[in-house]
Amino acid sequence: MPNLATTFLDLPLNNPLMNASGVWCSVGSQLEALQESEAGAMVTKSCTLQPRDGNPEPRYRVLNGDKPWGSINSMGLPNEGFAYYLRYTERHDYESKPLFISISGLTLDDNLAMIDSLKDAVTPAILEINLSCPNVPGKAQLGYDFDAMDTLLAEVTSGYGQRALGVKLPPYFDIAHFDEAAAILNRYPSVAFVTCINSIGNALAIDIDSESVIIKPKDGFGGLGGDYVLPTALANVNAFYRRCPEKAIIGCGGVKSGQEAFMHILAGATLVQMGTALYEEGPSIFGRVKAELSEIMEKKGYSSLSQFHGKLKTL
């Protein structure tokens, strides 16, 4: 049987699969379910310094045609607050699987305050800074403001010592933006990984029967996920894999089976996250996708992930 084991920042993982931040990771019971699942790693909900209720309901919908093609959401960062997730990191079973803690401060000072607490805490959780939340009204995505992104990374990397951290990025759609974002990331060696992508922001879904939008916040505008975003996610994974050779890439977007997981790894992802499909199927999805990925590898004659990782061919 193929070996799905991998390493990430020198940490051993049984397999490359994990949840996307925001899905099945908001409260302790969900995090414990992830820990008991067949996921190789896990990440907490992106948190703010203080708890947030998020946007009004309905704020998540599966987009159904003849078959589901994805989801739209405008969650607005509902979370239990940084202290809640920090406490969870202190009791997590790290021998079972690595844990990432994702932060998304509403201000630079909020991010710095959370990073100061993490620096002083006795926890091996891996820090991810979410630069890409598209659904907080009145708050622009830092990942689309390159000067602000550079300023934030300069501040947080200087305040976090030599500990490795990573960033979660929005999707980019222009080659020049890939180049500019990668140039900024490459200035900071302690930024050890890049997660691509968050949802495609500000999509609009319409119900033809009611002639209405289908989610309440932001007049129906929300982040697009699921099958719709797979090609964009793969492009971002491969673009940053090529441009940031010293950094690991975590792929996220459109993964619902072993086939999409294989694509992400082929494009350059070391780890692969699931969001919409996990939301709909629950943590049992990890066992299914793991088996499907193994079957694909066996058919292709691959015995390990390294044999095809990042080896996407061009014409």
Side-chain angles (χ1 to χ4, degrees):
M1 291 292 291
N3 184 358
L4 298 185
T6 187
T7 59
F8 187 87
L9 305 186
D10 296 326
L11 297 171
L13 283 76
N14 292 329
N15 67 75
L17 305 176
M18 61 183 295
N19 66 303
S21 179
V23 183
W24 226 278
C25 57
S26 294
V27 295
S29 60
Q30 294 175 331
L31 290 162
E32 287 156 10
L34 285 179
Q35 182 165 323
E36 293 170 4
S37 76
E38 294 189 54
M42 51 189 281
V43 58
T44 67
K45 168 71 179 174
S46 290
C47 61
T48 48
L49 186 58
Q50 303 299 330
R52 281 177 60 87
D53 291 332
N55 292 339
E57 301 277 3
R59 58 193 184 188
Y60 172 91
R61 285 283 187 266
V62 174
L63 300 175
N64 289 310
D66 294 333
K67 64 174 184 174
W69 273 97
S71 63
I72 187 169
N73 84 86
S74 183
M75 304 301 288
L77 277 176
N79 72 92
E80 301 296 316
F82 171 73
Y84 179 93
Y85 301 103
L86 181 61
R87 286 194 297 273
Y88 178 81
T89 71
E90 293 168 347
R91 68 174 192 269
H92 176 73
D93 178 8
Y94 290 92
E95 292 186 5
S96 166
K97 62 194 66 174
L99 172 69
F100 296 74
I101 181 169
S102 182
I103 67 170
S104 187
L106 298 178
T107 66
L108 175 59
D109 285 344
D110 283 358
N111 277 318
L112 294 176
M114 289 186 277
I115 288 166
D116 279 344
S117 295
L118 273 172
K119 183 177 63 176
D120 297 334
V122 183
T123 171
I126 304 164
L127 171 62
E128 176 192 80
I129 304 170
N130 187 346
L131 304 180
S132 57
C133 184
N135 299 315
V136 177
K139 296 290 182 181
Q141 295 188 58
L142 272 174
Y144 288 147
D145 184 336
F146 292 127
D147 289 339
M149 184 168 81
D150 196 12
T151 298
L152 181 141
L153 290 178
E155 290 276 357
V156 301
T157 54
S158 65
Y160 203 50
Q162 299 302 309
R163 292 179 64 176
L165 57 91
V167 295
K168 184 170 186 177
L169 295 179
Y172 297 106
F173 306 96
D174 193 290
I175 297 297
H177 294 158
F178 290 138
D179 293 340
E180 191 167 356
I184 292 169
L185 296 171
N186 285 333
R187 288 177 201 149
Y188 303 101
S190 60
V191 177
F193 68 93
V194 181
T195 304
C196 306
I197 58 173
N198 208 328
S199 57
I200 297 178
N202 296 310
L204 183 67
I206 293 174
D207 174 46
I208 194 170
D209 293 328
S210 64
E211 301 180 12
S212 170
V213 301
I214 63 173
I215 57 173
K216 184 172 183 177
K218 296 173 60 179
D219 294 325
F221 284 70
L224 191 66
D227 289 19
Y228 288 112
V229 309
L230 177 63
T232 298
L234 293 173
N236 279 259
V237 165
N238 192 242
F240 285 101
Y241 177 74
R242 292 170 180 270
R243 288 166 175 78
C244 300
E246 301 302 316
K247 304 184 190 303
I249 308 298
I250 301 178
C252 182
V255 179
K256 64 180 183 182
S257 73
Q259 179 171 299
E260 297 84 30
F262 184 92
M263 291 180 191
H264 271 271
I265 296 166
L266 187 67
T270 299
L271 303 183
V272 179
Q273 296 181 345
M274 286 181 279
T276 296
L278 170 60
Y279 190 101
E280 295 302 316
E281 189 170 331
S284 64
I285 193 172
F286 294 109
R288 175 178 65 77
V289 174
K290 213 174 83 170
E292 291 168 353
L293 177 59
S294 180
E295 184 179 356
I296 291 169
M297 289 171 61
E298 189 168 18
K299 286 180 179 178
K300 287 178 170 287
Y302 294 128
S303 59
S304 69
L305 300 173
S306 61
Q307 291 177 322
F308 65 96
H309 171 249
K311 295 180 179 177
L312 179 66
K313 300 171 185 175
T314 56
L315 302 181

